[in-house]
Structure formats: C-alpha cells, structure tokens
Amino acid sequence: ISACEKGAMWQIALILLITMNQSVVQSSTISYNSAISACEKSAEWQRALVLFATMTHTVVEPDTISFNAVISACEKDAEWQHAAMLLFAMGEAVLNPDAISYNAVISACEKGAAWQHALALLAAMGQAAQESDAISYSAATSACEKGFQWQMAITVLVAMYHLGLEPNAISHNASISACEKGAKWPRALRLLTAMSWNFSGLDVISYNAAMSACNRATKWPRTLGLIAAMVQDLLQPTPSLYSAAISASERGTEWAVIRPFSPVQSRFFCLSASQCIARNQ
C-alpha cells in the first residue's frame, strides 16, 4: 500500500486495504494512512474522506498523519470547509495539530478565497503555540489577494518582515497582484522595488502583476518602463506582456522607452497590434 501511495495508485491501494480487512491480516493506522495519502496525491479528496470515516468506525485509531493526509486531500480541491472541520476534529480526538495541519487548512482557504478564515487560522497558530512559517504567511497573503483585500495582503507581508521570516516570491507576487486588483498601481510599483532590493526572486509573474496595475490605471510609460526593466533583468517576457507593451506604446506613443530591447524585439514593438496579429497567424 505504501508503494501505491508513492506512485499515486489509489485504486490499487484501496483494493489492497479491502483485501486486508477481509483476510486474517489486520489493517493498521499505517495501512490507512498510506491509502489516504494515495487518494490525496491523486486529488481524490472524497475517497480520502470515506477512508478516514471508515477508519474512525473501526478499531484503528487515526493519528496526526491520518488527519494531515485527509486535510491535504481537501486542500488540493479547495474544500476548505471540510479541511477546517477536520482541524477542529483533531482537538476533539486529543491530537495536537502541527504546522503541517494548519498550513494545509490555510492553503485550502486560500484556494477557496476564504481570506477571513485564513487570517483567523494564522492567528490561531500563535495561540496554539504552533510556530508559523513562510508557508503559512504566503498562503494567507494569497488568500487576501484572491479576496481582493490589498491592505490585508500588505499587512501580512509586513508582518513576515517583523517576525524575521523571509518572504518568498509567492508572498510578494500575491501582494503586488492584490494591489493590481485594488487599482493601487503606486503601491504595486513600490512592492516591486522593495522586492528587487530585499529579495532575489523577481520573476515574470512579479512584473506581469505590476504591469497590469499600470495598464489598468492607463500609466503607459510606466508599463513600458517595466517591460524594459524586465528584459534588463534577463527575464523573457511572455506574449501577453508583449501585447500589453504594444497597447501601451500605441496609446501613449512612448516609443523612446523601447530602446533597451534587442533589435529584434524593437522591430516587434514598432509593428502595430494588427500587424503583429497578422504576422503570427
């Protein structure tokens, strides 16, 4: 069963577990945990829940690994309500949730855009004497971004610095994207600048979010400046970023900003949007 779990072969894992229960070989917590993990790796959260429920109705006692496996299965499909109920059930089963438990539920809340619950769980980690980490805060920041809460996203990001946690690309990019959704382009640019000073993980997603913020505010020169800086940082712009730059050039007629690009890229930008579309068809 453990081999099936590593290979995400949940069907075979279930068959083996059923066979064990029907034979003289007694299934154990480890057997169930492996089968649940196989379902989790295959995004079969409902089957993982059924297995877990079966486990609680037998003589086999679930442990922290059991709970974490089924919580992770729910997290992968954004089933944050089920994940939260399982976290609560751990306390009733006299089991102490660990950082993995909390992080999986916060991540489930992030996927379900349940930002209030994500922040509440982040606070609960401290009350439960569980040390939160960059994963916890990054998931909470992403939850705020998906919930269009740019102020809270920045608050969580700043809290990471105060706690001595090193924010990663996910937390920075989520904050920039939250500002983009909130039409706060100056803050998006400030976050991008801070990211370049304090963090080496500037990527296409970082620039894309900042450019989107500038585009929404019709700040065409800023958009062109960002894509120029992106190329100078040796990052390859995506076709969508090229389109954004073309749009900015046509609307703002800021052709001088194109100079940092290579000759091939400059010729590409000098084409009108319609010409580019025709050439790529």
Side-chain angles (χ1 to χ4, degrees), residues 126-143:
Q127 295 171 359
Q130 279 297 330
E131 187 174 350
S132 52
D133 54 17
I135 296 173
S136 320
Y137 278 86
S138 295
T141 306
S142 295

Side-chain angles (χ1 to χ4, degrees), residues 38-257:
C39 294
E40 177 257 323
K41 286 181 171 59
S42 302
E44 293 285 340
W45 68 273
Q46 292 167 311
R47 295 183 187 277
L49 278 176
V50 170
L51 269 177
F52 183 79
T54 303
M55 186 180 187
T56 56
H57 287 91
T58 63
V59 294
V60 181
E61 288 290 332
D63 57 12
T64 301
I65 297 173
S66 315
F67 275 95
N68 287 349
V70 71
I71 288 173
S72 294
C74 295
E75 176 263 328
K76 282 184 169 54
D77 207 44
E79 292 292 331
W80 66 270
Q81 296 96 331
H82 285 100
M85 285 190 291
L86 286 162
L87 186 70
F88 178 76
M90 289 185 76
E92 292 186 328
V94 200
L95 291 171
N96 293 320
D98 56 17
I100 295 173
S101 317
Y102 279 102
N103 287 348
V105 182
I106 293 172
S107 183
C109 292
E110 176 260 321
K111 289 181 171 64
W115 64 274
Q116 299 100 324
H117 294 277
L119 294 181
L121 285 166
L122 193 63
M125 285 186 77
Q127 295 171 359
Q130 279 297 330
E131 187 174 350
S132 52
D133 54 17
I135 296 173
S136 320
Y137 278 86
S138 295
T141 306
S142 295
C144 293
E145 178 260 327
K146 286 184 171 61
F148 297 86
Q149 301 295 320
W150 65 270
Q151 293 155 309
M152 293 307 304
I154 293 176
T155 299
V156 175
L157 182 67
V158 171
M160 291 184 73
Y161 283 106
H162 288 167
L163 291 170
L165 297 172
E166 184 175 347
N168 54 26
I170 295 173
S171 49
H172 275 105
N173 291 345
S175 298
I176 296 172
S177 182
C179 291
E180 180 265 326
K181 290 179 178 177
K184 301 296 178 182
W185 68 270
R187 291 182 181 273
L189 292 184
R190 283 199 288 270
L191 284 168
L192 190 71
T193 302
M195 192 175 179
S196 66
W197 286 345
N198 304 318
F199 184 69
S200 60
L202 274 172
D203 56 17
V204 176
I205 298 173
S206 317
Y207 278 103
N208 191 27
M211 283 181 62
S212 295
C214 293
N215 265 353
R216 288 185 62 178
T218 66
K219 301 297 178 181
W220 318 124
R222 300 276 186 176
T223 301
L224 288 169
L226 283 171
I227 200 165
M230 184 179 180
V231 174
Q232 288 176 335
D233 284 343
L234 303 179
L235 293 172
Q236 179 61 47
T238 61
S240 62
L241 292 181
Y242 279 129
S243 299
I246 292 169
S247 176
S249 298
E250 289 186 331
R251 298 181 188 184
T253 63
E254 298 289 342
W255 300 101
V257 189

